[in-house]
Amino acid sequence: LVAMVGWVCLANAAQKQWQATGSTSSQNLLALGGTSSSDVWALGVGGECIHWTAQGSGPAWVKCNIANVGNVLAAWASSASDGWAVGQYGALLHWDGGSWQQKTTGYTTDQFAGVWGAGANAAWAVGGTASRTGSLFRWDGSHWQRGNNPTMNAPNMSVLTGIWGSGMNDIWLTG
């Protein structure tokens, strides 16, 4: 669960309650992704980034830097050394295990609202443009390519807002 003004909560199913984790953020957090209970990313307004990771005395939030991006709206990771975060102004950010690196599609007017992957060499980012045209891009392990846009021939559909899948042949979109 991610909430406003830097709160991040963790569910304890046995006790049927949510517990605040002591986030170090003072910004609104909009995206959450991770690979395990000791590897979680919370990202948000103005590129705010905190990482829940193992420390000497147990897991804790550590601030990370993402420069020159707008709001980060979605995150996904395949491992502790491979993850993606997407958002405003065409932001496509790749985590390589040490730092976040900006990538590009060549289409800077796209705003990305969702990201999901089937592995390190297969990820998708979805969103739209200012003219309300849906955007779908696929990462092939080395660069992003514009994909077939299912909204082109669908009435009353424009911007894509979410993506999820269980594997390469079972991918779902919302818009």
Side-chain angles (χ1 to χ4, degrees), residues 9-171:
C9 296
L10 173 66
N12 182 326
Q15 296 177 2
K16 298 179 183 175
Q17 65 184 10
W18 290 92
Q19 175 183 352
T21 60
S23 157
T24 58
S25 177
S26 62
Q27 297 292 324
N28 291 342
L29 299 169
L30 308 170
L32 191 64
T35 61
S36 71
S37 61
S38 62
D39 180 38
V40 178
W41 296 94
L43 304 107
V45 172
E48 179 75 358
C49 175
I50 56 176
H51 185 207
W52 180 257
T53 186
Q55 300 293 311
S57 61
W61 289 108
V62 176
K63 278 212 175 252
C64 45
N65 293 322
I66 299 177
N68 302 318
V69 299
N71 298 341
V72 176
L73 304 174
W76 171 85
S78 68
S79 71
S81 61
D82 179 62
W84 290 96
V86 299
Q88 290 181 311
Y89 314 118
L92 287 165
L93 306 160
H94 183 247
W95 173 254
D96 62 9
S99 65
W100 289 97
Q101 303 294 319
Q102 289 192 28
K103 301 292 182 179
T104 183
T105 65
Y107 299 91
T108 58
T109 59
D110 294 300
Q111 174 168 296
F112 295 106
V115 62
W116 175 83
N121 295 322
W124 288 262
V126 299
T129 64
S131 62
R132 307 266 320 142
T133 302
S135 297
L136 174 66
F137 286 86
R138 182 176 185 273
W139 174 255
D140 64 8
S142 61
H143 63 281
W144 286 96
Q145 302 175 61
R146 189 177 284 279
N148 293 333
N149 182 351
T151 67
M152 292 294 199
N153 299 315
N156 302 319
M157 284 188 70
S158 56
V159 175
L160 298 170
T161 57
I163 184 166
W164 176 84
S166 65
M168 290 285 289
N169 296 314
D170 184 39
I171 302 170

